Amino acid sequence: MTDRSQDDAVARFVERFALLLADAGMARMPARVFTRLLATDSGRMTAGELAEALNVSPAAISGAVRYLDQVHLVHKRREPGERRDHYAVDDDTWLDAITNRDKLYDTWNAALAEGADALGTDTRAGKRIDDTRRFFEFLKKETPLLMERWRAQEEGR
């Protein structure tokens, strides 16, 4: 495969997977930036490199990486002696993103408990809210066990 055809194949992959992420709820530009970083051997690029690779403005990259950093999918880094920030995904970025949801689950559960109390769990709405709270409690408890199984599977690979 020539360099040009490989570049075209990578660009098609980035757009296709970004569209799938967008269909799942991620905003389109963060999805494109995230996928482009995933598809880079080093897992890191500057804002200028991302803008050039995706043919967008640096302002579009700025908003996208700010969002991706907030949801723990991308990290901003600066190498000693360098003047430009790099945006990076780690090799286990999905694992980190999933396992770092405890605070979010705690916050949601507190709000959901308040809602269930306000509505009363003897009402359909209150029961629905409480079921949602119990679901997130379940996820919080089970996620670490699932991640342990994933790590064990990957170590044995």
Side-chain angles (χ1 to χ4, degrees):
M1 185 179 280
T2 67
D3 286 346
R4 177 70 180 153
S5 62
Q6 184 178 18
D7 290 347
D8 290 346
V10 170
R12 282 191 304 277
F13 161 72
V14 167
E15 294 306 320
R16 182 168 190 278
F17 194 67
L19 186 57
L20 293 172
L21 290 173
D23 287 347
M26 185 184 286
R28 186 163 170 96
M29 187 53 61
R32 292 179 73 207
V33 169
F34 178 68
T35 304
R36 188 66 190 100
L37 287 168
L38 282 177
T40 303
D41 274 342
S42 67
R44 64 183 217 133
M45 297 174 82
T46 66
E49 291 167 338
L50 285 162
E52 183 179 332
L54 297 171
N55 197 27
V56 297
S57 73
I61 300 300
S62 176
V65 294
R66 187 176 13 222
Y67 167 79
L68 291 167
D69 186 46
Q70 287 173 344
V71 297
H72 307 287
L73 288 174
V74 168
H75 307 285
K76 183 164 105 173
R77 297 186 177 136
R78 184 175 292 184
E79 297 296 323
E82 288 198 16
R83 298 171 71 194
R84 296 182 303 173
D85 291 327
H86 288 86
Y87 301 96
V89 293
D90 296 324
D91 291 341
D92 56 357
T93 193
W94 288 110
L95 181 69
D96 290 342
I98 298 298
T99 56
N100 289 326
R101 296 285 183 208
D102 281 0
K103 290 177 192 165
L104 184 62
Y105 292 153
D106 288 343
T107 303
W108 288 355
N109 282 339
L112 289 163
E114 182 180 318
D117 286 345
L119 292 161
T121 55
D122 55 337
T123 66
R124 284 183 69 192
K127 182 181 178 325
R128 187 179 312 115
I129 297 289
D130 194 51
D131 287 348
T132 303
R133 180 194 57 76
R134 289 184 310 104
F135 174 73
F136 285 117
E137 275 183 0
F138 175 82
L139 282 180
K140 181 179 177 181
K141 184 179 100 182
E142 293 296 318
T143 298
L145 302 172
L146 183 61
M147 294 303 108
E148 280 180 36
R149 288 178 40 211
W150 169 255
R151 285 184 186 105
Q153 173 185 301
E154 290 303 293
E155 285 175 12
R157 211 171 65 145

